[in-house]
Amino acid sequence: MKTHLFTAICMFFIAFVFTACDTPTKPDKPNFIIIFADDLGYGDIGVFGHPSIRTPNLDKMAVEGQKWTNFYVAAPVCTPSRAGLLTGRLPIRSGMCSDKRRVLFPDSNGGLPPSELTIARLLQGNGYKTAAIGKWHLGHLSPHLPTDHGFDSYFGIPYSNDMDRIKSLPGGSSISDQITFAEEEDFMAYNVPIMRDKEIVERPADQRTLTRRYTEETVAKIKEMKDSPFFIYLAHSLPHIPLFRDEAFKDVSLGGIYGDVIEEIDWSTGQILETLRKEGLAENTLVVFTSDNGPWHIFNTHGGTAGMLNGAKGGTFEGGMRVPAIFWWPGTLRQDVVMDMATTMDLLPTLCKLSGAKLPDDRVYDGYDLTALLKGAGKSERDYVMYYWGEKVYAIRKGDYKVHFYTQNEYGRNTAHSYRNPEIDLKNTRTEMEPPLLYNVNVDPSEKFNVAADHPEIIEEMRAILENHLKGIIPVENQLVK
Ligand code: MG
């Protein structure tokens, strides 16, 4: 009897030791992948309500993780929006927004200043390997390139895919001609380069292959960097016009060419999540999918949709700055639909917290750590969202309410897309609203019913928030007009 008991104890001990050795301990530092689409609207994917664009991978990602319905960008156009995400700071603080030139262009000399600390820089200093893939648009000259800003490697186009236009080629010279200008060999009309690190490796970029090649690069980087913690910033060039997709995605979507492009991005996301699963990294990797600004309505069926939200790219109504957002991290995130307010500027403090990197205390941050929300263990610390257009605050949201101090037409808005109350006559220049417009954007997300007359006290509170905010803005050199 005693022998049996002794044997059983020994076997239990041996089994315990083997089990302990077999179970991989979860590494301290999770991996991070941020997937940032370009000009993809709030209503452009299945799980956010599109009825004819099929996005099964993004839909599944949202069900397995978290779908965020009140998620904002730092600005309604590319360059400042990207600066906000990567620095955790409003673009006005780094000189990366302008009323004169809205974004960086191929003739720009400026870019994200070396004094700015990106997510990549902070993680790199904390033992992470880092890679930037896709559209950069924060300066195409050193010292503004990804590898100057904490990324170990870079592969992608340095600015928008509609820039460097060769006007002598077919397609016309006005921007609206580009609507019908996105088929077959038309990429030759855009002399956009592809860079690897700091070298141009292809020009013009074959834009039909960009989404596929960015995906292949991301999969390769996951495999290459998996033995240490890693951060990948995958900024798709599309669905920014002109639209291109791989041969395999031609005419696959009920949603036309725009749908084809989104379905290829959905495929890409599926490939990335599948790679993480196969490599045994899924439970140690936070993946975030979102977009840099709202849809570009002036391109009609070549632009997307903000769904039930009013407005579009280049504007401060909800459709310009509220974007779809999905967070995925199996086993760590609480599966949920999150309706708290958050922004892309919250990613930097969140990733610092999750990785153990210290948040610098020598500068102002405009983001908040989202860890408690991701784990279902608390509320958002964010009290309000600022809607900047260029260097000016046009609107503020606090809780349910959003006030518009200024309005402006969004890049030649097509009123056919508008849900707006027709009494609001949008001008092509900045117009001060006196009294300001006020909407309850939870009850009325389409911003149709102005309730300013009912709540003068809320408008006064918002004015005080604005005044206080502006006191903290220190003028810096503008990078977009250099
Ligand atoms: Mg954009």
Side-chain angles (χ1 to χ4, degrees), residues 29-36 85-87 118-124 127-133 136 146 149-153 218 221-222 225-226 228-235 284-288 347-348 351-352 355:
K29 296 176 181 173
N31 310 306
F32 304 116
I33 301 177
I34 295 174
I35 304 172
F36 206 34
L85 182 149
L86 283 175
T87 64
T118 64
I119 297 174
R121 173 73 72 211
L122 296 172
L123 293 176
Q124 195 183 46
Y128 277 67
K129 290 183 178 168
T130 56
I133 297 157
W136 179 241
H149 270 295
F151 288 101
D152 299 332
S153 66
T218 305
K221 284 288 170 191
I222 291 170
M225 304 194 297
K226 67 181 179 183
S228 70
F230 64 79
F231 167 53
I232 296 174
Y233 170 62
L234 165 58
N284 194 41
T285 306
L286 170 64
V287 184
V288 182
L347 295 174
L348 183 143
L351 270 46
C352 279
S355 67

Side-chain angles (χ1 to χ4, degrees), residues 39-41 44 239 258 295-297 300-307 417:
D39 297 2
L40 182 143
D44 277 335
Y258 189 88
W296 209 349
H297 275 173
N300 297 340
T301 57
H302 281 222
T305 175
H417 297 289

Side-chain angles (χ1 to χ4, degrees), residues 376-393:
K379 300 295 289 177
S380 172
E381 290 175 62
R382 176 171 290 283
D383 201 26
Y384 54 81
V385 171
M386 291 280 162
Y387 300 69
Y388 267 87
W389 180 222
E391 299 158 57
K392 194 88 178 164
V393 177

Side-chain angles (χ1 to χ4, degrees), residues 36-40 75-79 81-82 103 135 137 160 236-237 239-240 291-294 296 313:
F36 206 34
D38 194 354
D39 297 2
L40 182 143
V77 280
C78 297
T79 296
S81 174
R82 284 148 206 272
V103 296
K135 172 173 163 179
H137 216 181
S160 295
H236 284 292
S237 304
H240 190 293
S291 176
D292 72 331
N293 51 250
W296 209 349
K313 173 177 177 171

Side-chain angles (χ1 to χ4, degrees), residues 82-302:
R82 284 148 206 272
L85 182 149
L86 283 175
T87 64
R89 287 150 54 78
L90 284 164
I92 190 89
R93 300 191 196 280
S94 55
M96 291 296 282
C97 57
S98 164
D99 294 336
K100 295 189 180 74
R101 296 193 103 186
R102 296 296 181 187
V103 296
L104 290 164
F105 288 88
D107 64 353
S108 300
N109 293 309
L112 192 65
S115 56
E116 289 295 324
L117 301 172
T118 64
I119 297 174
R121 173 73 72 211
L122 296 172
L123 293 176
Q124 195 183 46
N126 193 31
Y128 277 67
K129 290 183 178 168
T130 56
I133 297 157
K135 172 173 163 179
W136 179 241
H137 216 181
L138 293 172
H140 62 285
L141 305 172
S142 261
H144 307 298
L145 285 164
T147 50
D148 297 316
H149 270 295
F151 288 101
D152 299 332
S153 66
Y154 174 55
F155 176 75
I157 65 170
Y159 37 72
S160 295
N161 61 329
D162 64 338
M163 293 180 173
D164 270 339
R165 194 115 184 278
I166 302 168
K167 301 224 170 24
S168 58
L169 290 176
S173 56
S174 82
I175 196 165
S176 57
D177 289 332
Q178 294 173 27
I179 295 171
T180 54
F181 185 61
E183 297 289 343
E184 308 304 328
E185 301 299 320
D186 291 346
F187 71 87
M188 295 296 288
Y190 299 86
N191 201 27
V192 179
I194 294 185
M195 299 181 78
R196 186 167 283 283
D197 301 333
K198 293 187 178 179
E199 304 298 323
I200 291 176
V201 294
E202 181 176 316
R203 191 169 202 170
D206 184 343
Q207 295 202 33
R208 299 167 299 186
T209 64
L210 284 180
T211 301
R212 174 169 58 75
R213 283 196 284 173
Y214 291 168
T215 308
E216 290 164 358
E217 178 82 4
T218 305
V219 167
K221 284 288 170 191
I222 291 170
K223 292 177 179 172
E224 182 189 316
M225 304 194 297
K226 67 181 179 183
D227 293 333
S228 70
F230 64 79
F231 167 53
I232 296 174
Y233 170 62
L234 165 58
H236 284 292
S237 304
L238 294 156
H240 190 293
I241 61 92
L243 301 177
F244 294 99
R245 70 289 201 218
D246 192 78
E247 192 63 32
F249 286 87
K250 222 169 173 185
D251 303 325
V252 297
S253 176
L254 288 176
I257 184 172
Y258 189 88
D260 288 351
V261 169
I262 303 298
E263 293 191 19
E264 188 172 12
I265 289 173
D266 177 73
W267 163 84
S268 167
T269 309
Q271 293 292 300
I272 292 163
L273 301 190
E274 185 58 24
T275 303
L276 293 172
R277 286 195 184 95
K278 279 187 185 158
E279 297 293 333
L281 300 168
E283 296 194 345
N284 194 41
T285 306
L286 170 64
V287 184
V288 182
F289 180 94
T290 189
S291 176
D292 72 331
N293 51 250
W296 209 349
H297 275 173
I298 58 170
F299 292 106
N300 297 340
T301 57
H302 281 222

